[in-house]
Amino acid sequence: MNALTKRMGFAAILVGSLLACGIASATTVMTFDEFNPNGEYVGNYYNGGCGDSYNGGSVTCGGPNYGVTWTHAIAGGAPGGLFNNVDLEPSSPGVIGGFDDDTGSFMNVAAGFDTGFSFYYAAANTAGSINVYSGLNGTGTLLASLALPVNGSNCNGSFAAYSCWTPIGVAFDGIAQSVNFGGAAFYIAFDNVTL
């Protein structure tokens, strides 16, 4: 192999590595593993701030600044915490397993995001939904809707009702600023939300 071929091969490897690094750094994954196992509102944690106290518990601060805030979303430990009926989650020990009412939770991204996003969900008895909007807190144009059907319980030998996890994604055209994660309070769980 001559010197020019070697240099071209090295340059191709270097460019490929830089592209791979650029793509990886553009991915945002919220695992909910950092929160108080006994429950905590996600709040501003993924906006570089703090969660909010749930039932007088402790608050987690200093999260990554992804520019993402959450309303009404309660994160907690699974199965060794607030969500003791959740198991086999994609990343552990935390999930979003509750909302403080039946309207669900809004994930707000003030800077916006495009193309789509993905996540995992477990819905043992009650279906859920996803609605993507162009404005904050469910305002503006509805860009996409996705039904989340019941996906079973007690999977892979687990005795936990919420142990069947389905990976799913939703694509849309335009710029989204909010997503409503809908479902009955404490009857659906989400993990590894990826933008």
Side-chain angles (χ1 to χ4, degrees):
M1 191 183 309
N2 66 34
L4 179 58
T5 305
K6 286 182 183 177
R7 286 189 190 129
M8 288 177 61
F10 177 75
I13 291 170
L14 179 61
V15 169
S17 297
L18 291 173
L19 287 174
C21 290
I23 292 168
S25 66
T27 301
T28 299
V29 181
M30 291 167 276
T31 63
F32 313 107
D33 296 337
E34 306 86 353
F35 294 96
N36 180 344
N38 295 318
E40 179 179 350
Y41 287 105
V42 178
N44 285 306
Y45 179 79
Y46 290 111
N47 196 27
C50 299
D52 295 312
S53 179
Y54 173 73
N55 285 338
S58 64
V59 172
T60 304
C61 292
N65 190 357
Y66 297 148
V68 179
T69 62
W70 290 80
T71 65
H72 307 287
I74 302 167
L82 178 64
F83 304 117
N84 60 9
N85 60 346
V86 175
D87 195 12
L88 305 177
E89 62 273 22
S91 68
S92 63
V95 300
I96 290 178
F99 313 122
D100 61 4
D101 60 33
D102 286 341
T103 63
S105 171
F106 281 103
M107 177 186 75
N108 288 302
V109 184
F113 65 101
D114 61 4
T115 310
F117 71 104
S118 64
F119 55 94
Y120 289 80
Y121 82 96
N125 305 306
T126 305
S129 64
I130 295 293
N131 291 304
V132 181
Y133 297 93
S134 63
L136 298 172
N137 293 310
T139 61
T141 304
L142 178 65
L143 300 176
S145 286
L146 182 63
L148 304 175
V150 170
N151 60 358
S153 62
N154 308 104
C155 282
N156 298 319
S158 175
F159 293 105
Y162 297 88
S163 55
C164 303
W165 291 90
T166 300
I168 196 163
V170 60
F172 54 86
D173 291 324
I175 304 295
Q177 286 189 307
S178 65
V179 178
N180 177 252
F181 287 76
F186 292 94
Y187 284 96
I188 191 165
F190 296 97
D191 201 7
N192 289 15
V193 176
T194 305
L195 303 179

